[in-house]
Amino acid sequence: MSKLLLLAVLAAVVWFWWKGKAKRLGDAGPARDAARLLGVRDDAGADDIRAAWRRKVAALRPDATGDAATLQSLTEARDLLLARATGRPLQ
């Protein structure tokens, strides 16, 4: 009986640990992808994020290439990272 109880407690601990790990990894996913897209660190400041966005947009030249989808992705990445860096909600 005690082995069964120990196994149940161990299973509960593992389940809660796994659930918490999945939640932590899920929360960081979009921000990590946005940081990679802009080429900045995950903990970059607002000035670094804005500078990286300007560099990427200047290199892309959406007015010349007509690639509006990439510009939209870069802008969404910038907005997400700025909201995270400044603590302001996304608008």
Side-chain angles (χ1 to χ4, degrees):
M1 180 72 174
S2 64
K3 288 183 181 181
L4 184 60
L5 181 62
L6 181 62
L7 183 61
V9 169
L10 182 62
V13 168
V14 169
W15 183 78
F16 280 111
W17 172 79
W18 186 260
K19 183 179 175 185
K21 181 180 177 183
K23 185 177 180 181
R24 287 188 304 271
L25 290 176
D27 291 343
R32 186 175 298 137
D33 293 342
R36 286 182 184 155
L37 182 63
L38 289 178
V40 296
R41 295 185 333 261
D42 291 344
D43 60 346
D47 293 335
D48 293 334
I49 294 166
R50 288 184 187 104
W53 179 80
R54 287 184 191 115
R55 280 192 304 273
K56 292 281 186 175
V57 169
L60 175 67
R61 298 264 336 254
D63 56 333
T65 61
D67 190 7
T70 303
L71 176 62
Q72 183 177 359
S73 297
L74 289 171
T75 303
E76 289 173 359
R78 178 202 62 188
D79 293 344
L80 176 68
L81 291 175
L82 283 175
R84 187 175 180 200
T86 61
R88 296 181 182 162
L90 282 173
Q91 295 180 358

